Amino acid sequence: MASITSYGAAREVTGSCHLLESPACGRVLLDCGMHQGGDAVDRLHDERFAFDPASIDAVILSHAHLDHSGLLPRLCQGGFRGPILCTPATAELLRIMLHDAVGLYLRDLEYKNRRNARRGRPLIEASYGVEDVETALSACIGVEYRKHHSLGAGNSASICFHDAGHILGSAICEVLLQEDGQQKRLVFSGDLGKTDSVLMREPAQLQEADILLMESTYGDRDHRPEGDTLTELRDLLRETWSQGGNVMIPAFAVGRTQEILFHLGTLHHSGELDGWRVFLDSPMAISVTQVYDHWLKLLDTQDIRALDDAKKSSLAEFLPTLSLTPDTDQSMAINRIKGGAIIIAGSGMCTGGRIRHHFKHGIWQANNTIIFTGFQAQGTLGRLLVDGASHVRLFGEEYIVKARIATLGALSAHAGQQQLVDWRASFRSNPLTLLIHGEEKAQQVLADRLRQELDCDLVIPERGQSIEF
């Protein structure tokens, strides 16, 4: 009998981690992500596996975002020595993501230990290091979309990836198990993209499953149409320009940044970006954008045609007013610009990165605008701002929030409620459906609609709950 146990992204959005156990494949993890929000050092030291990493036979990785992949080095440090199966594009992105994450973590840890030493407190040992990142990366095996790959010894289990349309390389994971002469099919949605997202193709629609793990991030609401985004973004830029301010955009390095660059490039080519200076102020996002250029063949054909029509071969060339600022001195110089700057910087939920430094210089100025472009998890600075905080703490000091706070919901990389319902309706079978990767309120709303319209057999698993199938 096979079973699935959710150890993360269970009635929460981050920390995706689900353990599949079956005689056909052994013990296989679906994702191994870190939780987000709060102090990065404290958060990592609080992370504990509810299983022995050495007992895991393989990892199936849906995509490269850290809330799905960030604990892979910790898993390896704990004794995991199996393969990490993912798409080739995910493997390439993962090298950037994990090295950036460990670099930020070790720098934060060094800062905290200097402070502890001054106060006579015990020093904190690193919970993982660069060598663990390299161990994880060496375990990655790239599997192309729609190609079956053996999972474990023999031919009793296999994995097949399908395009999830979320970010480059993101996958819907289809696992086939042979148990006692019967075939069982598990489908793990990973994160599903929007059907009208720029750059990304529409999520693949599958028709058969015995059990379905389905994300529910936006289970309680729909996004505005993607076509409205350019109008909304143009209006925000016009209003900020008239006030003589700057625009700060906290952006996820993978996916969201590239979509923002594409939209800004479109505005430039229609004459709507005259006078603005655009800064991509994230070393990781710069590297990721180069990876996107390398894998253009995986992106939406119609959107890539726009690059060809503009005689450009990369996203950066599509936006000629763009400046890349990988160096710290270049980043600091941006804050001397009093108006007319569009600053794209990480992190997307403002939990770290350079965006917090730009906030320090501009969040208290009423002529500036902060534009959020994606989901903000509970406990993050981004969520506080979206929820209307009047004051925030940055680098130990309190700042009043006077900048305009705006959200471009259409730029989310996640499917909205109707798209989730439509994707679930594509299954001809009626699989047991587990709603994961969502806050409980959103999950309950989606569950009610799925039960009413599709007569779903549905569970919203709690953390640690095991379900047999």
Side-chain angles (χ1 to χ4, degrees):
M1 179 72 73
S3 68
I4 190 79
T5 307
S6 294
Y7 289 114
R11 305 193 181 191
E12 60 182 343
V13 170
T14 64
S16 179
C17 184
H18 313 277
L19 176 60
L20 169 64
E21 296 177 274
S22 166
C25 65
R27 292 163 59 85
V28 176
L29 277 190
L30 306 177
D31 285 349
C32 189
M34 65 171 58
H35 290 82
Q36 295 181 306
D39 181 273
V41 173
D42 292 342
R43 184 178 66 244
L44 271 170
H45 284 260
D46 288 342
E47 295 273 15
R48 296 288 186 275
F49 292 119
F51 46 82
D52 178 6
S55 73
I56 302 301
D57 297 299
V59 175
I60 295 172
L61 181 61
S62 65
H63 63 287
H65 276 153
L66 290 177
D67 62 321
H68 294 256
S69 69
L71 290 187
L72 288 171
R74 286 278 299 273
L75 191 75
C76 293
Q77 187 194 58
F80 169 73
R81 291 298 179 266
I84 299 171
L85 303 171
C86 59
T87 66
T90 291
E92 189 168 343
L93 288 173
L94 197 62
R95 177 168 295 278
I96 299 170
M97 301 290 286
L98 294 185
H99 273 294
D100 183 81
V102 72
L104 290 174
Y105 164 68
L106 292 176
R107 284 194 292 273
D108 287 348
L109 179 63
E110 181 182 9
Y111 170 79
K112 179 162 282 194
N113 276 335
R114 284 201 305 267
R115 188 174 60 183
N116 285 347
R118 290 195 301 267
R119 297 177 179 180
R121 296 176 180 175
L123 301 184
I124 304 169
E125 291 188 12
S127 63
Y128 79 107
V130 175
E131 65 278 6
D132 302 306
V133 169
E134 286 299 328
T135 300
L137 293 173
S138 67
C140 288
I141 297 176
V143 180
E144 301 282 354
Y145 287 132
R146 299 181 299 279
K147 302 290 186 182
H148 286 270
H149 188 279
S150 179
L151 189 60
N155 297 314
S156 59
S158 66
I159 174 67
C160 184
F161 293 122
H162 306 269
D163 197 339
H166 174 63
I167 64 168
L168 182 68
S170 61
I172 300 163
C173 309
E174 181 184 26
V175 180
L176 297 179
L177 306 170
Q178 295 288 339
E179 288 186 359
D180 299 324
Q182 291 185 321
Q183 185 181 83
K184 295 182 179 180
R185 191 186 307 261
L186 176 147
V187 172
F188 170 43
S189 73
D191 285 355
L192 294 171
K194 299 192 288 90
T195 56
D196 61 347
S197 176
V198 300
L199 294 182
M200 301 310 302
R201 295 174 179 172
E202 292 189 6
Q205 292 191 329
L206 280 65
Q207 297 181 333
E208 301 292 336
D210 295 296
I211 187 167
L212 169 64
L213 280 70
M214 176 174 156
E215 75 120 311
S216 52
T217 311
Y218 286 96
D220 58 345
R221 59 196 186 275
D222 286 314
H223 306 303
R224 294 182 63 183
E226 185 85 20
D228 293 346
T229 300
L230 274 182
T231 301
E232 191 175 357
L233 178 58
R234 180 200 63 199
D235 291 345
L236 286 169
L237 293 177
R238 284 179 176 176
E239 292 164 12
T240 307
W241 180 271
S242 68
Q243 296 168 352
N246 291 326
V247 171
M248 293 167 277
I249 305 179
F252 300 94
V254 183
R256 214 64 43 83
T257 290
Q258 291 73 38
E259 289 196 9
I260 292 166
L261 293 178
F262 184 85
H263 282 300
L264 290 174
T266 301
L267 288 175
H268 165 79
H269 287 281
S270 64
E272 299 284 353
L273 212 60
D274 293 347
W276 283 101
R277 300 172 63 186
V278 182
F279 297 91
L280 179 52
D281 190 35
S282 166
M284 181 168 64
I286 293 169
S287 297
V288 168
T289 301
Q290 293 168 346
V291 174
Y292 264 68
D293 290 339
H294 178 219
W295 290 95
L296 287 178
K297 64 182 180 181
L298 293 184
L299 303 181
D300 183 83
T301 304
Q302 182 175 345
D303 293 327
I304 299 309
R305 189 178 297 124
L307 301 184
D308 294 335
D309 292 344
K311 303 290 191 295
K312 307 298 180 183
S313 60
S314 70
L315 290 170
E317 289 182 358
F318 189 53
L319 180 58
T321 58
L322 175 67
S323 296
L324 307 178
T325 56
D327 297 334
T328 303
D329 289 343
Q330 294 172 314
S331 175
M332 294 171 62
I334 298 171
N335 291 311
R336 294 195 288 268
I337 301 173
K338 301 304 181 184
I342 300 172
I343 308 163
I344 306 166
S347 67
M349 296 186 189
C350 312
T351 54
R354 294 181 178 181
I355 195 65
R356 294 169 69 98
H357 292 274
H358 295 301
F359 282 178
K360 181 177 70 173
H361 290 274
I363 201 169
W364 46 271
Q365 298 185 58
N367 61 340
N368 290 335
T369 299
I370 298 171
I371 300 177
F372 287 96
T373 61
F375 187 85
Q376 303 298 309
Q378 291 280 3
T380 63
L381 174 59
R383 183 63 168 261
L384 290 174
L385 291 170
V386 169
D387 286 346
S390 59
H391 293 77
V392 295
R393 290 191 68 80
L394 297 166
F395 309 103
E397 296 187 20
E398 188 171 276
Y399 289 80
I400 189 171
V401 180
K402 288 189 175 181
R404 177 180 180 178
I405 308 297
T407 299
L408 292 180
L411 278 187
S412 172
H414 288 268
Q417 184 195 73
Q418 184 60 54
Q419 293 167 341
L420 289 171
V421 172
D422 291 343
W423 188 77
R424 173 59 180 80
S426 69
F427 285 85
R428 293 184 305 200
S429 60
N430 191 15
L432 171 63
T433 301
L434 279 55
L435 293 186
I436 56 171
H437 204 285
E439 293 177 358
E440 193 168 357
K441 172 182 172 292
Q443 292 179 319
Q444 290 291 352
V445 172
L446 180 60
D448 290 344
R449 186 169 175 194
L450 289 173
R451 288 190 180 108
Q452 180 180 3
E453 296 185 17
L454 303 180
D455 193 27
C456 285
D457 185 7
L458 192 145
V459 177
I460 303 175
E462 297 179 356
R463 189 170 187 175
Q465 180 178 353
S466 295
I467 296 171
E468 293 184 343
F469 66 99

